Amino acid sequence: MGNFRPTPPCDLETGPLKARPPPPPSPHFHPPAPQSWFSWLVPLIFAANIAMFVYTMAYNDCPAHENKDDCLFHKYLGRFSFQPFKENALLGPSSNTLIKLGGLEKKLVVEGGEGWRLLSCMWLHVGVVHLAANMLSLLFIGIRLEQEFGFVRIGVLYLLAGFGGSLLSALHAKSTVSCAALFSLVIIIAINLAVGFLPGVDNSAHIGGFISGFLLGFILLVRPQFGYVSRRYIPPGYEIKRKPRHKCYQYLYGIIAIVLLIVGYAYGSYELFTGQKTF
C-alpha cells in the first residue's frame, strides 16, 4: 500500500478550502513622547532675586550711614558698596536693612502680626556669597525641572518649600536675620549648608527648605510608570488592559509625604504663634 494523504476539504463551487490566516495582533497604543516645557518661571525668579538684591544694596546705602572708608569698594560701587566686613562677611547689606525690607524676625512675626515675612524673606539674601550659592542651585536645577514638569508644579514647589524653610527658621530663630531658600541637589546643598555656618545666614532655613522640597517632590514631581497609556490616546471602540498611572509605592510615598507636610506645617505654625510645644 502506498502513502495515503487525506484530501483537503473541498467546496463544490470554490474548490479546496484554504487555511485561514492568523488573527492580527492586538494593537499597541503609545502616548506621544513628552515635550519639554519652555522654562520662563525659573529665569523670572532668578531675575527677581538679582533685582531685589540690587535694590537692597541701593536702599542700604552704606556710605550714607557709615564711614565711607569702612564701606567695602565704596570708590567703585558708591551707594551699592557693602557693609564693613566685620559686620557682614558675605558682602551684603546691614541687618537693619534686611529687617526693613521683609527679613524674617520671629518677634515681628509673632508679636507684630507680620506673618507675611515668612514669604517675603525668601527674596532677600544676606550677601553676594549667599545669593550666588542660591542662584547656582536655582539655575542648574530649577530650569531642568521646569522643562520636565512645567511652571505650575515648580512654582508651587518653590513657594511651599520656601515657606517650610521660613517656618523652621522662625522656630529656631537666633539674633541674626534669616533669609530662606530652596535647595535640591546634594552637591549644591552641601555648598549652601557650608555657607550657612558663616555669620548672618540661618541654616535652619536651608534645612527646612530642603526637607519640604524633598517631600513635595514625591507629590509634584512624579512621572507615570513605564507603559502607562492614558485613555485619551486610545481610539473609541478599543478595550485594552491598561497599567495604572503610578505604581503602588509611588502612591504610598505620596500619601506619606502629604501627611508629613500637613503635620509639619500645622505643628510648626502652632508652636510659632502660640509658643507652646506639643512634643
Side-chain angles (χ1 to χ4, degrees), residues 17-81:
L17 297 178
K18 298 181 180 180
R20 295 182 178 179
S26 301
H28 295 278
F29 302 101
H30 301 280
Q35 297 181 353
S36 297
W37 293 74
F38 174 75
S39 178
W40 62 268
L41 180 62
V42 170
L44 182 62
I45 294 175
F46 172 82
N49 278 279
I50 298 296
M52 188 61 196
F53 184 75
V54 172
Y55 174 76
T56 301
M57 296 309 304
Y59 183 88
N60 184 69
D61 194 4
C62 179
H65 303 90
E66 303 281 349
N67 187 344
K68 292 183 178 181
D69 294 333
D70 293 335
C71 298
L72 301 179
F73 310 113
H74 76 277
K75 293 182 179 180
Y76 307 99
L77 300 178
R79 68 179 299 156
F80 297 94
S81 57

Side-chain angles (χ1 to χ4, degrees), residues 27-30 229-240:
H28 295 278
F29 302 101
H30 301 280
V229 181
S230 175
R231 184 172 294 277
R232 61 180 176 175
Y233 297 116
I234 301 177
Y238 285 93
E239 292 293 336
I240 63 172

Side-chain angles (χ1 to χ4, degrees), residues 59-223:
Y59 183 88
N60 184 69
D61 194 4
C62 179
H65 303 90
E66 303 281 349
N67 187 344
K68 292 183 178 181
D69 294 333
D70 293 335
C71 298
L72 301 179
F73 310 113
H74 76 277
K75 293 182 179 180
Y76 307 99
L77 300 178
R79 68 179 299 156
F80 297 94
S81 57
F82 308 120
Q83 290 295 120
F85 192 76
K86 62 182 180 180
E87 181 180 349
N88 189 337
L90 301 184
L91 303 178
S94 66
S95 297
N96 290 332
T97 295
L98 292 173
I99 292 176
K100 291 178 181 179
L101 295 181
L104 184 57
E105 185 74 19
K106 182 178 180 179
K107 184 177 181 180
L108 295 176
V109 172
V110 178
E111 300 179 8
E114 299 179 1
W116 50 269
R117 291 180 179 269
L118 292 170
L119 293 178
S120 63
C121 66
M122 294 169 52
W123 308 96
L124 296 174
H125 293 85
V126 175
V128 173
V129 178
H130 188 205
L131 176 69
N134 286 9
M135 293 304 99
L136 279 176
S137 61
L138 181 66
L139 288 180
F140 284 100
I141 303 169
I143 289 180
R144 295 186 62 182
L145 289 178
E146 186 179 358
Q147 291 174 341
E148 182 75 13
F149 297 98
F151 69 93
V152 175
R153 295 186 184 186
I154 300 305
V156 173
L157 177 65
Y158 186 86
L159 292 176
L160 290 182
F163 174 76
S166 300
L167 195 58
L168 185 60
S169 177
L171 292 175
H172 298 82
K174 303 176 183 179
S175 58
T176 56
V177 181
S178 170
C179 303
L182 169 65
F183 310 98
S184 306
L185 188 63
V186 175
I187 297 178
I188 302 297
I189 292 171
I191 296 175
N192 280 280
L193 292 180
V195 172
F197 288 106
L198 297 176
V201 182
D202 187 0
N203 242 352
S204 297
H206 294 181
I207 297 173
F210 167 68
I211 294 175
S212 298
F214 178 77
L215 294 175
L216 287 166
F218 290 106
I219 304 171
L220 299 174
L221 307 183
V222 181
R223 279 291 188 187

Side-chain angles (χ1 to χ4, degrees), residues 243-274:
K243 292 184 178 181
R245 183 179 181 86
H246 302 295
K247 293 184 177 181
C248 294
Y249 72 86
Q250 291 177 305
Y251 287 110
L252 178 62
Y253 289 164
I255 293 173
I256 294 176
I258 292 175
V259 173
L260 291 177
L261 284 171
I262 293 176
V263 172
Y265 286 155
Y267 169 75
S269 300
Y270 177 80
E271 181 179 335
L272 177 63
F273 290 99
T274 64

Side-chain angles (χ1 to χ4, degrees), residues 6-18:
T7 304
C10 180
D11 188 283
L12 295 178
E13 295 182 356
T14 61
L17 297 178
K18 298 181 180 180

